[in-house]
Amino acid sequence: MTSNDTTPTSLHARIVELLGLAVTSGALAEASVLRIDELEERYGASRSVVREAVRVLAAMGMLSSRRRVGIQVLPAADWNLYDPQVIRWRLASPERIAQLRSLTELRSAIEPEAARLAATRAPLTNASALMGLAGRLWAAGQSDDEQEFLLLDIEFHRLVLSSSGNEMFAKLNTLVAEVLTGRTHYGLIPHHPATEALQLHVDVASAIQRGDGDAAHAAMLSIMDSAFTEMSSIWEDGPS
């Protein structure tokens, strides 16, 4: 299969991606009305492929298709803001910093409590795995292995959320993964992680392992505060 693959599936995925990016970037303005034939011409696709792409974005709350009205771009308040694909599109938009700020605020409300719960609910195997991940995170951070650090960081936070024993918290792991990936992809994370941030991951894991909920909560909250500080210092310098 070549890079110019134009099978219906790949074409459909490409149009979903282009439409999603156009809506989140504001290229297709809120409340604007589109017609199917306009989109067919814009994207060089058949009516059936365009209709299916519109249905996908309608399911995300981004578009509304009505007979005799057309396809209307809905306001951000109607979007499924927890959908990983919507998060990726918003991170690719000019509103990237605002998106990262709101997501980090959400994490600050959830992850410290997840760490507190994990201290009393995490199976011993999970607590031990967190200690191991914290050690590997330290090594990856010290060696400036950015990709390995990202993968380990995602797994660390996923395991804290799942170890909380709260299925609602656990479901937020994909959101956290998108935040961490977006920060790395757009250069909103230090190339060399601060020693304090690495130590805080060890502190979270250690507190969970010894069953100290208050200490786990405090250490995770400090990680969130550190993330805000890191991003603020970078976006104030004007990230690309």
Side-chain angles (χ1 to χ4, degrees), residues 82 84 110-111 113-115 117-118 121 126 154-177:
Y82 289 91
I110 298 299
E111 291 196 65
E113 186 59 26
L117 292 173
R121 297 176 178 177
N126 287 23
I154 289 172
E155 179 58 19
F156 182 91
H157 289 276
R158 184 203 66 77
L159 191 53
V160 170
L161 288 167
S162 64
S163 296
S164 71
N166 183 306
E167 74 282 4
M168 304 296 287
F169 286 1
K171 281 294 185 181
L172 292 176
N173 73 88
T174 52
L175 179 150
V176 173

Side-chain angles (χ1 to χ4, degrees), residues 114-116 118-120 122 127 130 160 163 203-212 216:
R116 186 201 300 276
T120 59
L130 280 169
V160 170
S163 296
D203 293 346
V204 169
S206 177
I208 289 174
Q209 190 172 52
R210 65 177 186 271
D212 190 337

Side-chain angles (χ1 to χ4, degrees), residues 23-36:
V23 172
T24 53
S25 69
L28 291 177
E30 176 186 330
S32 60
V33 177
L34 313 166
R35 297 198 312 272
I36 285 289

Side-chain angles (χ1 to χ4, degrees), residues 167-190:
E167 74 282 4
M168 304 296 287
F169 286 1
K171 281 294 185 181
L172 292 176
N173 73 88
T174 52
L175 179 150
V176 173
E178 292 299 336
V179 176
L180 295 173
T181 301
R183 285 187 62 200
T184 300
H185 181 74
Y186 293 107
L188 292 168
I189 192 168

